[in-house]
Amino acid sequence: MKKPIIIGENKFKYKKDAVTYYRAILNSYQFGESLTDEDYHKLFDLLEYGHFFCDEVDADDNSDFPIVPEDVNEVNAVPLTIEDIKVSKVQFNTKCFELFYSDKTSQYISYLMILNQKRFTPDEFFNKACRSSIHNDIRAVKQQFFDENSVKGQVRYQESNILSTWAELVIDHRQPNTFSMIVDRFKELNKIDVNTIEYTTDSHNHVVFQDASLAKAFVAYHKEKARLRLVRKEYNSSRSGMGRVKKTTKDLAIK
């Protein structure tokens, strides 16, 4: 039996019912009007639903951990918040929800695109929760490197003397212990059946393990196995010299 679509406190038997529901909200407003508090929370529920199931780019094998909103502008940037949701006019005189952020930027969202997103497999959900588990460790490694090496917000990272900003660099797992390999080995060693794992979302809407002990175990295993570097986001060339696991002086360590 097909599972219903649950968005916030609403349960929809079919996707078309959810589409009709959010279309009705959109069409109940004139251009430029802000949503009521009740409808604001309904849209926020939809955003959380979309984030939980979203088809993110799996950044491994070489460029892990896409930058999250709190990382976009600079070191120690204040996380963005949604201050308002309005109904705006887009091409062909049609309506669209528009999010207005605390940094005075805005973004259009499509309820149809959110509801039509790909659904993750159990393995993909497990991978996302593993990433969420080590998010703070990865950010701390990057933060420490900038604290120790930045000059006016730029650093020369390990692979080059090119001065780079926080937003231009990402954390990379050295081969062969890529993030995907670490996750697969963790599942094998712990005899994990991904079909039985339950998930929830944290305060930042990241998919996380419902069992906190599982997250803790993965954090410890990742800390033991990972060999990390900072690289520029566009740096996708082969690094065969990093194929060894042996620790080097250039590796970044999780404290």
Side-chain angles (χ1 to χ4, degrees):
M1 183 177 178
K2 190 174 181 180
K3 292 183 178 180
I5 297 173
I6 300 175
I7 304 176
E9 296 180 354
N10 293 314
K11 184 182 294 186
F12 303 97
K13 186 175 182 180
Y14 302 108
K15 182 171 67 177
K16 65 179 182 179
D17 297 330
V19 169
T20 299
Y21 182 82
Y22 281 98
R23 179 184 293 129
I25 293 176
L26 180 68
N27 289 333
S28 67
Y29 291 87
Q30 300 297 318
F31 291 125
E33 280 191 302
S34 295
L35 271 59
T36 64
D37 288 346
E38 181 181 359
D39 287 341
Y40 175 97
H41 290 297
K42 291 175 182 177
L43 257 293
F44 200 83
D45 288 340
L46 180 65
L47 293 174
E48 288 189 324
Y49 170 84
H51 186 93
F52 193 86
F53 288 106
C54 65
D55 186 14
E56 292 176 356
V57 175
D58 189 349
D60 222 26
D61 283 339
N62 288 323
S63 296
D64 298 309
F65 309 98
I67 294 172
V68 296
E70 62 193 23
D71 295 343
V72 168
N73 297 318
E74 57 182 336
V75 181
N76 296 324
V78 177
L80 296 181
T81 57
I82 300 172
E83 294 192 335
D84 196 7
I85 303 178
K86 295 183 179 182
V87 170
S88 299
K89 182 186 296 186
V90 291
Q91 60 182 351
F92 308 118
N93 206 37
T94 56
K95 293 179 177 178
C96 184
F97 294 113
E98 185 173 5
L99 310 182
F100 290 84
Y101 295 100
S102 54
D103 67 348
K104 307 308 177 185
T105 61
S106 67
Q107 176 187 10
Y108 295 121
I109 64 163
S110 167
Y111 67 92
L112 287 174
M113 288 184 64
I114 293 175
L115 291 170
N116 286 324
Q117 285 179 120
K118 166 194 169 184
R119 298 297 177 259
F120 277 106
T121 66
D123 279 306
E124 289 169 328
F125 263 124
F126 191 87
N127 187 292
K128 282 173 67 68
C130 286
R131 285 185 181 277
S132 298
S133 299
I134 61 170
H135 174 80
N136 289 339
D137 278 354
I138 294 300
R139 180 174 172 81
V141 167
K142 187 175 181 181
Q143 183 70 64
Q144 181 179 357
F145 188 85
F146 268 80
D147 288 345
E148 295 175 351
N149 300 280
S150 67
V151 177
K152 296 182 179 179
Q154 293 183 307
V155 297
R156 287 184 170 85
Y157 65 103
Q158 298 102 314
E159 304 305 322
S160 170
N161 282 325
I162 299 174
L163 282 171
S164 303
T165 65
W166 177 279
E168 290 170 331
L169 297 174
V170 293
I171 290 291
D172 166 64
H173 284 70
R174 284 208 293 121
Q175 298 178 4
N177 277 5
T178 62
F179 181 76
S180 296
M181 289 295 293
I182 291 173
V183 172
D184 287 344
R185 184 61 176 153
F186 178 77
K187 289 189 291 188
E188 180 182 348
L189 289 172
N190 292 278
K191 297 180 173 58
I192 291 174
D193 179 358
V194 294
N195 294 293
T196 65
I197 304 298
E198 296 184 345
Y199 306 91
T200 184
T201 54
D202 63 13
S203 59
H204 298 291
N205 293 326
H206 297 148
V207 176
V208 296
F209 295 117
Q210 198 167 73
D211 182 356
S213 64
L214 181 58
K216 185 177 181 180
F218 181 75
V219 167
Y221 183 75
H222 176 265
K223 182 176 181 179
E224 175 189 350
K225 298 298 181 182
R227 301 289 177 261
L228 306 174
R229 298 288 180 94
L230 271 174
V231 299
R232 288 182 64 87
K233 287 192 290 187
E234 72 274 13
Y235 183 39
N236 294 316
S237 59
S238 174
R239 297 193 294 281
S240 57
M242 294 185 187
R244 60 192 183 280
V245 181
K246 186 177 179 181
K247 206 170 185 179
T248 75
T249 56
K250 290 185 177 181
D251 291 337
L252 301 177
I254 298 172
K255 302 299 185 181

